[in-house]
Amino acid sequence: MKKIWILLLLLIFFAGDKAMADVILNKKQENIAKISAYTAAGDISKLESALNKGLDEGLTVNEIKEVLIQMYAYCGFPRSLNGISALMNVLEQRKDKNDKTGDEGKPLPAGTDKFKYGDEVQVELTGNHVKGALFDFAPAIDSFLKEHLFADIFARGVLTHQEREIATIAALASMDNVEPQLNAHIQMGKNTGLSDIQIKEILILASVPKAEMLGIGEPNAAYAKYFKGNSYLNMLSKEQVGIANVTFEPKCRNNWHIHHKGGQILIAVYGRGYYQEWGKPAQEMKPGDVVNIPPETKHWHGAAPDSWFSHLAIEVPSEGGSTEWLEEVSDKEYGKLK
């Protein structure tokens, strides 16, 4: 089901851009992105599910090993080692399934000039010799990047450079405060032939682990008629004060509505979204932003066009409180938002 709505989402974003076969990730690429994202996020339970799915859909054991080995360069040894342990557990549980082992990664031949080799790979991926103040200040980092990351790791084979960039983009997109590195690898991914639409799908897939940190919950079926797009609801508390984690897929927003008597408090916890009161400009919401919605105030809230968004919705206790649902936020008005 999740694959179906991702495809629908991409069609909505990019209808008419290219033929469908040209714009989406294939199964191998999608599974690499999911495995990388859950490894970087440290969600072992979801990672094990992603590993099983990847193996079921044709990834070899050694292809997955290479993804998990590479992860240490981007999210650290602890996450990488935990990912490898998860793979071992999954393989033990699947030992009767005869999963394909596949080709094994190979080291560079003895005597290879690793700095030169890594520099050539880095130029291939970036389009230029990478220089700058950071590498002048810490030249050892430049050596590690060229001799180890782009030489020792990228030269192991098994995965193509494009597949390694898919893994890297997904890992970085599932982490916080690494935007410069993420943007750099998005460009590297494009240099390997990934399209803008394929990059968009990687980012969407990688955003799910972050959105799930407070529990993405179940499809918000009871209120679906008041939402445009898919939303998910996880009730965190029903006692004393009602608290829900509400997650919106990109472009999803609820209708204009009014909380009578009690009001509501929103606390953004993931992604980027918007809140707007009737007659006022929409205000952007990012993690940590808080909106106090007074009772009898007509408003709406939801995700930005290009980002998942989650907020805690806290109901202000009141006797006889209710919510009045009104008209949709028009595509024209929503389309003005970035």
Side-chain angles (χ1 to χ4, degrees):
M1 282 299 295
K2 188 168 285 186
K3 177 63 175 176
I4 292 173
W5 59 252
I6 288 174
L7 295 182
L8 290 174
L9 176 63
L10 290 168
L11 286 173
I12 291 170
F13 279 170
F14 304 109
D17 192 10
K18 289 185 179 180
M20 190 168 165
D22 294 332
V23 301
I24 61 171
L25 300 173
N26 60 40
K27 284 185 177 181
K28 181 178 182 181
Q29 293 169 327
E30 180 187 333
N31 283 311
I32 288 172
K34 288 181 178 179
I35 289 168
S36 302
Y38 283 119
T39 300
D43 190 332
I44 299 301
S45 175
K46 294 292 175 59
L47 172 60
E48 289 183 346
S49 295
L51 292 170
N52 274 295
K53 186 171 184 292
L55 290 165
D56 288 339
E57 294 187 350
L59 280 180
T60 69
V61 173
N62 282 332
E63 284 171 337
I64 295 175
K65 279 185 187 178
E66 287 301 318
V67 171
L68 298 175
I69 289 169
Q70 181 172 320
M71 285 299 95
Y72 99 82
Y74 294 100
C75 58
F77 267 117
R79 294 285 163 94
S80 175
L81 295 177
N82 288 346
I84 293 170
S85 294
L87 176 59
M88 293 171 65
N89 291 336
V90 165
L91 291 175
E92 176 63 24
Q93 295 165 9
R94 295 172 59 96
K95 57 187 176 183
D96 296 330
K97 288 186 177 286
N98 297 316
D99 293 310
K100 294 180 181 179
T101 302
D103 295 334
E104 188 171 351
K106 295 179 175 59
L108 283 166
T112 299
D113 185 337
K114 293 184 179 180
F115 191 90
K116 180 181 178 182
Y117 184 98
D119 182 61
E120 290 172 352
V121 172
Q122 193 176 39
V123 169
E124 175 189 335
L125 293 171
T126 65
N128 293 290
H129 293 280
V130 178
K131 300 178 181 180
L134 186 149
F135 301 110
D136 294 337
F137 180 74
I141 287 294
D142 189 38
S143 296
F144 292 158
L145 284 172
K146 289 182 172 65
E147 296 179 6
H148 185 47
L149 176 59
F150 293 118
D152 286 331
I153 295 179
F154 270 67
R156 286 177 57 79
V158 183
L159 300 175
T160 67
H161 289 179
Q162 184 183 86
E163 289 163 350
R164 289 186 182 276
E165 284 306 314
I166 289 170
T168 302
I169 293 167
L172 293 173
S174 70
M175 299 163 63
D176 292 322
N177 303 316
V178 291
E179 285 77 12
Q181 292 80 13
L182 172 60
N183 290 333
H185 279 280
I186 286 174
Q187 186 56 56
M188 292 184 204
K190 290 180 180 180
N191 291 344
T192 69
L194 291 174
S195 69
D196 288 339
I197 299 171
Q198 288 173 314
I199 295 290
K200 175 69 74 174
E201 188 178 359
I202 296 168
L203 298 178
I204 290 171
L205 290 171
S207 70
V208 174
K210 293 169 75 173
E212 289 175 335
M213 287 181 183
L214 282 173
I216 197 169
E218 300 297 327
N220 195 7
Y223 292 88
K225 62 184 176 181
Y226 304 124
F227 284 69
K228 187 158 190 176
N230 293 311
S231 66
Y232 302 83
L233 181 68
N234 183 26
M235 287 302 302
L236 303 177
S237 173
K238 294 183 179 179
E239 299 179 6
Q240 299 187 70
V241 177
I243 304 175
N245 183 41
V246 185
T247 299
F248 304 77
E249 71 178 8
K251 288 191 176 181
C252 177
R253 68 270 192 186
N254 51 31
N255 291 4
W256 291 98
H257 57 286
I258 300 171
H259 300 294
H260 294 298
K261 296 188 177 180
Q264 191 179 55
I265 300 170
L266 305 179
I267 303 175
V269 293
Y270 168 70
R272 192 170 69 88
Y274 284 95
Y275 166 81
Q276 183 176 19
E277 294 182 5
W278 186 260
K280 297 181 180 180
Q283 64 184 74
E284 187 179 46
M285 294 189 69
K286 292 183 177 181
D289 290 341
V290 178
V291 172
N292 284 278
I293 306 171
E296 317 310 325
T297 301
K298 184 175 178 179
H299 67 283
W300 70 270
H301 35 103
D306 62 351
S307 175
W308 284 73
F309 178 59
S310 296
H311 66 53
L312 299 180
I314 303 171
E315 301 298 328
V316 178
S318 63
E319 186 174 349
S322 64
T323 300
E324 179 184 359
W325 291 98
L326 304 166
E327 72 273 19
E328 290 184 356
V329 178
S330 71
D331 290 338
K332 181 179 179 180
E333 288 302 308
Y334 183 82
K336 296 176 183 177
L337 303 176
K338 302 298 184 183

